[in-house]
Amino acid sequence: MKASTILNISLLQAAANLHLAKAANAEESPILLLSEDPTFHFEILGGLGQAIGGGSDIAPLLAAAKDIKVGDFETFAEVLFKLANETKAQALDPILAYDPINVRNTWFSVANYFRRADAFTKGNWDNPIIKEYWDEQLAAFNKGQAALPIPGDRLQIPSDNFTVEAIWYSAEKDKKKRPTLIVGNGYDAAQEDMYHIMVVHARALGWNVLTYEGPGQPTVRRSQDLGFIPDWERVVTPAIDYVLKEKADEVDTERLALYGNSMGGYLAARAAAFEPRLKAVLLNGGVYSVHDSYKAQLPAELLELYEAGKSEEFDQATLSLLDPNSTASTNIRWGIEHGLWAFKTKSPYDFFKKTEQYTLEGITDRIKMPVWVADCEFEGFFKGEPQRVVDALGDKATFHFFDGEAGYHTQSGAFQEMTRVIFGWLHQTLG
Ligand SMILES: *[C@@H]1O[C@H](CO)[C@@H](O)[C@H](O)[C@H]1NC(C)=O
Ligand SMILES: *[C@@H]1O[C@H](CO)[C@@H](O)[C@H](O)[C@H]1NC(C)=O
Ligand SMILES: *[C@@H]1O[C@H](CO)[C@@H](O)[C@H](O)[C@H]1NC(C)=O
């Protein structure tokens, strides 16, 4: 790094840290804070919200929240691991496990707590807990599933160059044709999260659901060592082929819809542009350009280096924010660490460059079906993006704004409101 371009790292860190001071303001928060660290608050709230679908208990997660420390990724993982491991001991207790149904939600909670424990672990790709915690969450989730009246089927659906990891959930055992929702996440969440958030509610309304993960997403990133790809039709089209062939007797093809969560708002829209068999699409929220959204979160000093194409300086300065002694906000540290891991690159510059391909520019005219586009009051990742998607889609789009206590990104902690709005729109649109 040339002396003339060395940044004042303390100034950079101070700038990055402003996000923390701003967002942790309890006065501005719509609900009680679960941590003074807004990113930890959001992470715990997301886990707690799964309680409505049998995926968590309340007090144990609140107790864990009490023990985590602002900005301390290691303690976060330790505290959540301890909760997960203790809860697992309960699920294994032969007196309690006399009937698998007695410990079904205990296993689901174990899985959820291991997923939360994994959230801030990507700083070191060689850290064995990245694999260990995930193996634990998969095994625990499968134990919970096995005790459901209609367990989901785990599927490996081949694509051109990789395998889509999916779970098929029939609404009922009777094999009648029913409406079917295909559910995908974005940057970081797992398909197992969506069981509690979405699938339980969908099944109660008579919908089948397929949840899936593609490259870059938690299980595929680990099991196939693949980072994100922008051409998401390579993930969704094979999944739809599979469902229409193997589940033909269960799927009402006139009521086949696709849902994209978080960065999945881009991924689902991209897939829909190449997938006329879909009759409706839901984007929570709308994401026109992943690159523009992530760039907007960079401190001005870093943005300047990026725009000037100074890749080495940009990498060095950005990586300094991840130093153990960094005071950069949890949101920035997590965003960069997770992004490098999920896009499978060690260079922050390369990561940001890669995201340039994740845009709806030039393809929105190919999206012919009705599209529901959500935005929310406290959106922190994709600010302004939903409106861009609505503008590009014109009268194909229905806009929904979540505010107040349902106003967090993807309605964290308010999944009842989220699902009743979504299924209201689906019913209105598809019958
Ligand atoms: C996890 O729990 C088991 C049984 O309760 C215990 O023996 C083990 O030491 C715990 N593991 C860790 C790493 O704390
Ligand atoms: C398949 O994956 C390999 C390695 O990741 C890559 O080089 C190749 O371009 C991919 N092929 C297609 C058709 O995407
Ligand atoms: C963090 O520590 C490294 C060396 O361990 C040092 O070079 C760097 O300047 C430190 N950063 C801050 C912000 O103190």
Side-chain angles (χ1 to χ4, degrees), residues 160-161 226 231 234:
D160 49 51
N161 213 0
L226 292 173
D231 41 353
R234 287 170 62 199

Side-chain angles (χ1 to χ4, degrees), residues 143-180:
K143 289 260 199 191
Q145 275 284 345
L148 286 171
I150 315 173
D153 299 334
R154 279 212 183 259
L155 305 171
Q156 275 86 35
I157 302 171
S159 179
D160 49 51
N161 213 0
F162 56 86
T163 301
V164 180
E165 287 283 341
I167 308 177
W168 170 260
Y169 300 95
S170 296
E172 302 279 355
K173 288 179 177 162
D174 59 10
K175 309 248 177 209
K176 282 196 191 134
K177 287 186 191 280
R178 293 177 191 276
T180 300

Side-chain angles (χ1 to χ4, degrees), residues 325-343:
N325 57 358
S326 164
T327 59
S329 76
T330 296
N331 198 44
I332 285 218
R333 284 179 56 203
W334 170 79
I336 295 167
E337 285 185 357
H338 190 84
L340 294 175
W341 182 78
F343 283 74

Side-chain angles (χ1 to χ4, degrees), residues 73-74 77 117-133 221-222 225 319 322-324 333-334 336-342 344-346:
F73 286 17
E74 273 178 36
D118 167 73
F120 301 98
T121 59
K122 310 304 179 308
N124 169 12
W125 295 9
D126 299 325
N127 188 342
I129 67 179
I130 294 177
K131 182 172 186 305
E132 286 164 18
Y133 289 6
R221 174 65 184 82
R222 288 171 171 89
D225 197 24
L319 292 172
L322 312 180
D323 276 351
R333 284 179 56 203
W334 170 79
I336 295 167
E337 285 185 357
H338 190 84
L340 294 175
W341 182 78
K344 208 183 159 199
T345 173
K346 300 276 182 174

Side-chain angles (χ1 to χ4, degrees), residues 102-120:
N102 195 41
V103 288
R104 182 172 70 204
N105 288 355
T106 309
W107 279 118
F108 280 140
S109 297
V110 172
N112 181 11
Y113 305 155
F114 273 114
R115 291 194 296 277
R116 308 281 73 80
D118 167 73
F120 301 98

Side-chain angles (χ1 to χ4, degrees), residues 297-311:
Q297 293 173 60
L298 285 175
E301 293 83 349
L302 285 181
L303 186 59
E304 212 172 290
L305 290 178
Y306 182 80
E307 299 291 15
K310 297 183 174 168
S311 54

